[in-house]
Amino acid sequence: MSGSMRSAALRAGYRALIRPVLFRSYGADPERIHEAMINLLAQVASSPVARGVDWLVGRANDPVTVAGVRFAGRVGVAAGLDKDGRAAMMWSHLGFGFAELGTVTAEAQPGNPSPRLFRARRSSGLINRMGFNNDGASALASRLAGWGVRRGNGAAGIPLGVSIGKTKLTPIEQAVPDYVRSLETVHGQADYVAVNVSSPNTPGLRTLQRAATIEELLAALVARARELDETPIPVFVKIAPDVSWDELDQLLAAVVGAGAAGVIATNTTLGRTGLVGADRLLASQPGGLSGAPLTRRARQVVARTVDQGLPVIASGGIMTPGDAMAMLDLGAVAVQVYTGFIYSGPGLVAGINHWSRDKTGRS
Ligand SMILES: Cc1cc2nc3c(=O)[nH]c(=O)nc-3n(C[C@H](O)[C@H](O)[C@H](O)COP(=O)(O)O)c2cc1C
């Protein structure tokens, strides 16, 4: 079977056979289902089944170097999917070329009260207000170290980035030392850090995207990274889609000025366009919207961001291999998926790998 047929069959099989059962399990509670799947992947990673998954899905084989880090392929795990890195050793088996773990914070925290994750199924979207529930940066660093993961050693089969965010209880004026602490904690294990200033679910976090503030924050992190290692860990920043062009231009100028290595665009949106049918009832749920309703806006932001010359990793509404190709055609160096993976499974990853290899002439 050709690569494109195999990935299409995988996607169709997931949607027809696995997804209906999965979405109804655990009382149809999206968060419990997610937890169960992460636990399952964590267990499978250390079993012979992982090699069977390799065979079925196909590992990434389209290397691209981004800010000095060699990704095995163009499609990565988006932040939030594996917040505590419990499935970190499994992502390479599912065809991913890199994975961004986290967001973790300097202190462990419970996140917002449940329910905090909602499926907008007709619209192929999700609304979440998780609020950085995580075990803390040091738990993640220890877990990875326990598996022998050190920066650059490829122990997970693919590079692992770590997304860092502000601890909720830390006042916004103390954000810089809080982020610096997380960077210090994970720099030995992570291949890059992504500075998350764009989650809509931590009060005040997005104010850090203001040009002067982001420049101070990123400059402090870049400076600390240089002190810590001879080859400093690359510092990426993840931005929101809900910014005006003026704000975006100023933000990007500050990101370049601070010496950041690249941009991840975009996080979830506070907008509610694109919700259809019964999903419109979810519009009043506070939180960030992801998936198909975000595709158009994320593309617009990526198109403007690539003009700055920094490497751009595209995230937002990548639901099909065609959506990923559109981002790569705009000039993104790689893409990340979250909601598309929930709706289409590993076939989406295989499909993106197939088409991106084709495009770069390595098929
Ligand atoms: C349930 C959920 C949790 C998320 N948690 C994080 C997070 O902790 N850190 C982060 O940077 N982005 C987080 N995101 C945003 C995703 O990484 C991604 O940028 C966004 O969902 C858009 O991509 P998508 O349309 O492929 O989902 C989360 C998204 C969802 C749906």
Side-chain angles (χ1 to χ4, degrees):
M1 210 189 313
S2 78
S4 67
M5 276 169 68
R6 177 188 283 237
S7 66
L10 274 172
R11 263 180 296 154
Y14 176 88
R15 286 205 213 113
L17 302 172
I18 298 176
R19 192 176 81 182
V21 179
L22 200 61
F23 279 16
R24 264 187 240 124
S25 58
Y26 295 91
D29 175 344
E31 186 174 346
R32 283 180 60 209
I33 298 167
H34 190 89
E35 285 299 300
M37 283 306 103
I38 292 293
N39 285 338
L40 181 69
L41 292 177
Q43 278 166 21
V44 166
S46 56
S47 81
V49 177
R51 243 174 277 137
V53 178
D54 276 348
W55 174 81
L56 195 67
V57 181
R59 288 174 79 108
N61 181 21
D62 179 25
V64 56
T65 300
V66 181
V69 183
R70 196 168 192 264
F71 293 175
R74 306 278 175 150
V75 53
V77 177
L81 194 50
D82 189 10
K83 285 181 188 277
D84 290 309
R86 280 184 286 143
M89 306 308 274
M90 190 59 202
W91 297 117
S92 67
H93 297 286
L94 286 159
F96 288 101
F98 63 107
E100 190 169 306
L101 311 175
T103 295
V104 289
T105 50
E107 299 289 340
Q109 56 182 37
N112 289 323
S114 300
R116 51 192 183 177
L117 174 58
F118 306 87
R119 210 182 285 127
R121 186 155 176 192
R122 289 202 169 275
S123 323
S124 300
L126 296 170
I127 293 177
N128 92 84
R129 51 168 178 274
M130 306 299 287
F132 294 165
N133 54 307
N134 77 103
D135 295 345
S138 36
L140 174 61
S142 312
R143 178 170 290 130
L144 295 176
W147 289 323
V149 173
R150 280 195 320 281
R151 181 150 73 98
N153 77 349
I158 51 173
L160 299 176
V162 172
S163 170
I164 56 175
K166 184 187 75 68
T167 311
K168 188 176 180 188
L169 290 177
T170 299
I172 204 83
E173 310 77 57
Q174 293 299 314
V176 174
D178 188 81
Y179 278 93
V180 167
R181 234 179 97 199
S182 291
L183 176 120
E184 290 168 348
T185 308
V186 302
H187 80 103
Q189 271 65 48
D191 291 294
Y192 70 86
V193 289
V195 182
N196 184 357
V197 284
S198 49
S199 164
N201 302 313
T202 294
L205 194 82
R206 284 183 171 192
T207 64
L208 297 173
Q209 292 185 115
R210 288 186 198 132
T213 327
I214 193 70
E215 187 149 5
E216 186 198 340
L217 172 61
L218 292 177
L221 290 165
V222 169
R224 188 69 187 119
R226 288 193 183 133
E227 286 166 6
L228 287 168
D229 294 296
E230 211 170 282
T231 309
I233 185 168
V235 175
F236 284 73
V237 60
K238 184 163 176 185
I239 63 174
D242 311 315
V243 282
S244 69
W245 292 142
D246 267 0
E247 285 165 344
L248 180 63
D249 293 345
Q250 288 170 27
L251 161 61
L252 293 172
V255 168
V256 173
V263 178
I264 302 163
T266 70
N267 213 313
T268 57
T269 179
L270 287 168
R272 289 295 183 262
T273 45
L275 288 178
V276 296
D279 292 341
R280 279 193 286 250
L281 294 172
L282 291 171
S284 58
Q285 286 291 350
L289 173 64
S290 58
L294 179 56
T295 308
R296 192 161 164 267
R297 180 63 191 163
R299 260 185 220 172
Q300 291 169 341
V301 174
V302 167
R304 196 153 178 129
T305 304
V306 292
D307 285 344
Q308 294 299 320
L310 283 177
V312 176
I313 299 175
S315 154
I318 296 170
M319 309 302 284
T320 65
D323 292 335
M325 289 314 105
M327 289 297 200
L328 297 175
D329 285 342
L330 285 173
V333 285
V335 301
Q336 295 175 332
V337 293
Y338 190 134
T339 309
F341 185 65
I342 303 297
Y343 280 93
S344 290
L348 173 63
V349 183
I352 297 173
N353 280 336
H354 175 76
W355 292 111
S356 74
R357 259 201 314 271
D358 235 22
K359 193 177 142 74
T360 50
R362 300 175 52 92
S363 59

